[in-house]
């Protein structure tokens, strides 16, 4: 399939490389042209102009946030120049407000739009092990299935309304924040009484809390990773997306508000560029450990 790919950050680079590995044709664009050039040796075309990415069957956007989507996809006018036969596949994490706006923009011009945010870190993106939540009109979504199969170990269809995929991503990431906060508190509690956090982690993940989130983030608290791929500052962004969505939909989220305050305090203490799991290390510090 011929794909336009916009946004080659840590996640985007891995996803683009995976699609090339799976035999897809790629026209790649990034704000920093040199980043797109790095994919040329793998067979991609490095686009110097945004419009070049529209010469494709599907255009994937993997942009950092709402501000980037506004600048690159909307303010640039790209959304209005998209050919009628092309599908816009937005795989980035955006706010519920932006998700609804994108759906309206495409609907107003009878464009094909699918939202499919991903779960996973850059290593999972590069190896095709992402989890993908997708939603959109049936024909457009069906056209994207080969891409989901190339990029993910599993994908979930949550209906015809694109924003439904985004609210699932937002709610899921809020839960991750809650897990990290509660793990950090529990680790500090047992350690202050003389029990090693590693032993506690083994106990809880061998019994009722065997989910990967507990295992992975618990390990990251005990042994910080040599390379940071998802910072605590990015975790704050996800918690704030949940709070904004809760405000917009009339859903009280007191836990999210508490977690936001903890993130802000940890950032003020210098943890912002550490892994998201470092929130637990900040809690440990506050406990005098």
């Amino acid at each position: 399939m011929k794909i336009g790919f916009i946004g080659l950050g840590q996640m985007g680079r891995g996803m683009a490389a995976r699609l090339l590995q799976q035999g897809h044709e790629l026209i790649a664009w990034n704000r920093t042209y040199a980043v797109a050039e790095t994919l040329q040796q793998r067979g991609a075309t490095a686009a110097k102009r945004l419009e070049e990415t529209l010469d494709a069957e599907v255009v994937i956007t993997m942009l950092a946030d709402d501000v980037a989507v506004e600048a690159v996809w909307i303010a640039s006018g790209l959304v209005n120049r998209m050919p009628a036969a092309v599908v816009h596949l937005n795989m980035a994490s955006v706010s519920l407000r932006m998700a609804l706006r994108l759906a309206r923009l495409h609907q107003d011009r009878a464009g094909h739009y699918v939202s499919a945010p991903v779960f996973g870190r850059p290593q999972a993106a590069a190896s095709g092990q992402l989890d993908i939540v997708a939603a959109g009109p049936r024909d457009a979504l069906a056209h994207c299935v080969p891409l989901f199969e190339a990029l993910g170990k599993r994908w979930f269809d949550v209906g015809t309304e694109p924003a439904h995929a985004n609210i699932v991503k937002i709610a899921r990431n809020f839960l991750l924040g809650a897990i990290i906060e509660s793990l950090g508190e529990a680790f500090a509690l047992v350690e202050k009484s003389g029990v090693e956090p590693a032993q506690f982690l083994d106990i809880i993940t061998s019994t009722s809390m065997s989910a990967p989130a507990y295992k992975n983030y618990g390990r990251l608290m005990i042994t910080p990773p040599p390379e940071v791929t998802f910072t605590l500052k990015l975790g704050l962004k996800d918690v704030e997306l949940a709070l904004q969505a809760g405000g917009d939909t009339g859903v009280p989220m007191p836990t999210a508000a508490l977690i936001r305050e903890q993130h802000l305090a940890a950032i003020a203490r210098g943890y912002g560029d550490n892994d998201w799991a470092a929130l637990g290390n900040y809690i440990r510090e506050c406990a005098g450990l």
Side-chain angles (χ1 to χ4, degrees):
M1 189 182 299
K2 192 173 185 181
I3 303 159
F5 200 106
I6 297 173
L8 299 170
Q10 283 189 314
M11 289 294 291
R13 284 196 299 274
M15 292 166 67
R18 173 68 179 177
L19 290 170
L20 287 167
Q21 183 186 56
Q22 294 297 299
H24 295 284
E25 184 180 351
L26 217 67
I27 305 166
W29 182 91
N30 195 65
R31 285 180 176 179
T32 305
Y33 178 69
V35 177
E37 281 187 304
T38 63
L39 291 173
Q40 284 185 320
Q41 60 187 6
R42 302 192 186 195
T45 298
K48 292 185 176 179
R49 295 178 299 108
L50 264 173
E51 293 80 1
E52 294 175 51
T53 61
L54 298 180
D55 182 23
E57 297 173 59
V58 176
V59 177
I60 296 175
T61 49
M62 194 62 189
L63 296 161
D65 50 28
D66 285 16
V67 174
V69 172
E70 176 72 38
V72 173
W73 189 255
I74 300 173
S76 70
L78 205 64
V79 63
N80 296 319
R81 294 196 292 275
M82 197 176 79
V86 175
V87 176
H88 175 204
L89 174 58
N90 176 32
M91 304 192 78
S93 295
V94 297
S95 70
L96 180 60
R97 292 177 190 175
M98 178 57 77
L100 293 168
R101 185 178 174 199
L102 284 169
R104 284 194 302 270
L105 283 169
H106 286 286
Q107 188 175 37
D108 289 347
R109 60 179 304 281
H112 301 291
Y113 176 61
V114 172
S115 184
V118 302
F119 301 151
R121 295 198 176 202
Q123 302 94 317
S127 59
Q129 293 298 300
L130 295 170
D131 292 316
I132 301 168
V133 177
R138 299 296 86 185
D139 289 348
L141 190 141
H143 201 65
C144 297
V145 169
L147 306 181
F148 301 155
E149 292 175 344
L151 293 168
K153 64 178 184 288
R154 184 175 179 186
W155 72 277
F156 302 84
D157 182 349
V158 293
T160 60
E161 297 294 329
H164 286 180
N166 299 98
I167 199 63
V168 168
K169 174 68 185 287
I170 290 167
R172 181 264 194 185
N173 279 9
F174 156 66
L175 284 175
L176 278 183
I179 286 170
I180 293 167
E181 170 70 26
S182 59
L183 264 178
E185 292 180 21
F187 276 13
L189 182 63
V190 298
E191 187 178 0
K192 201 79 184 277
S193 296
V195 176
E196 285 295 322
Q199 184 180 25
F200 175 74
L201 179 65
D202 180 51
I203 292 168
I204 64 170
T205 57
S206 297
T207 53
S208 59
M209 297 176 183
S210 60
Y214 285 97
K215 294 178 180 179
N216 295 337
Y217 282 100
R219 290 192 199 105
L220 288 171
M221 286 180 199
I222 294 166
T223 307
E227 180 183 2
V228 176
T229 58
F230 193 89
T231 66
L232 194 147
K233 287 178 181 176
L234 289 175
L236 172 62
K237 183 198 81 169
D238 284 339
V239 174
E240 289 181 332
L241 289 180
L243 277 168
Q244 184 191 84
D248 289 349
T249 56
V251 176
M253 301 195 73
T255 303
L258 168 65
I259 295 170
R260 178 180 183 272
E261 293 306 311
Q262 287 285 82
H263 278 67
L264 290 172
I267 290 168
R269 196 71 67 88
Y271 286 90
D273 293 321
N274 293 1
D275 191 273
W276 196 5
L279 181 63
N281 304 116
Y282 163 73
I283 294 167
R284 182 178 184 274
E285 180 186 329
C286 291
L289 293 163

